[in-house]
Amino acid sequence: MNSAKVTTSPLIGKAIGVLDMQGGVCEHIDHLQRIGISARPVKHSQDFEGLAGLILPGGESTCLARLLKIFEIEPIIVRKYREGMKLWGTCAGAILLAGSLKGEAAHLGLIDIEVQRNGFGSQLDSFTCEALIPKISPEPVPLTFIRAPKILKAGEGVDILLCIDDFIAAAESPDVLVTVFHPELTGSLAFHRYFASKCGLQSRADQPILDPSWNMTSWTRYARIV
Ligand code: GLN
């Protein structure tokens, strides 16, 4: 008699990691902890064990791409992604994940989008606004764009979550989320909740989606006002 076939499920963990090489790391960890998700910085190959998801934060994509190469982290991200780890790239992180970059060679290439770096101009052309993104939140989501890229095109299998004027601001495939803005620099927890659920993790339901203590006039602070 044949013995029952044992099928193994993909390696899924319980924490979300934040790539800790450069950029907005502690802001993402703070947001994840507010919604009760176990979160930790990820720097070395052993740090990737047991992660359900990984956030590639905003910062400077050329610098991040160099560090990924120097520390040989690129192949680990690709392997873990293939094993089931979900990915979310914010701003520079979205640039790293894009399948194609206008006028430059792509980096990880894990989502079929075309991205133009610094699509709005210089740092001085940074701005905030808000938008209704029904899949993410029933309330308008505050958005912070800092020397942001534009997503110009999304390929097959990529859902557009938010389009503003001539560009795509947020999109996703089944395993990868990309936002060209920074939810971690606002009082909104909606995107972090959404990413946690994409990773199969349950976040705290007793937190308001928009932290009432958040100082909405600043994008530089991340700590709660006590
Ligand atoms: N302009 C930066 C880059 O090209 C991204 C800026 C950001 O992450 N806020 O990498």
Side-chain angles (χ1 to χ4, degrees), residues 6 23 27 31-32 120 135 146 159 167 179-180 202 219 226:
V6 178
E27 292 85 347
H31 267 45
L32 291 166
F120 300 88
K135 201 164 177 189
I146 303 176
D159 279 350
F167 68 96
T179 57
V180 302
Q202 182 76 45
W219 66 34
V226 284

Side-chain angles (χ1 to χ4, degrees), residues 81-138:
Y81 160 78
R82 292 196 181 127
E83 287 174 1
M85 183 180 75
K86 309 292 184 208
L87 297 168
W88 174 16
T90 51
C91 206
I95 295 169
L96 294 178
L97 290 169
S100 124
L101 290 185
K102 199 171 179 187
E104 297 174 50
H107 303 292
L108 290 159
L110 295 176
I111 180 166
D112 187 8
I113 54 171
E114 186 190 4
V115 166
Q116 178 187 6
R117 290 181 61 212
N118 305 325
F120 300 88
S122 76
Q123 188 83 357
L124 292 176
D125 299 303
S126 301
F127 62 98
T128 59
C129 62
E130 59 174 34
L132 200 55
I133 314 172
K135 201 164 177 189
I136 303 299
S137 171

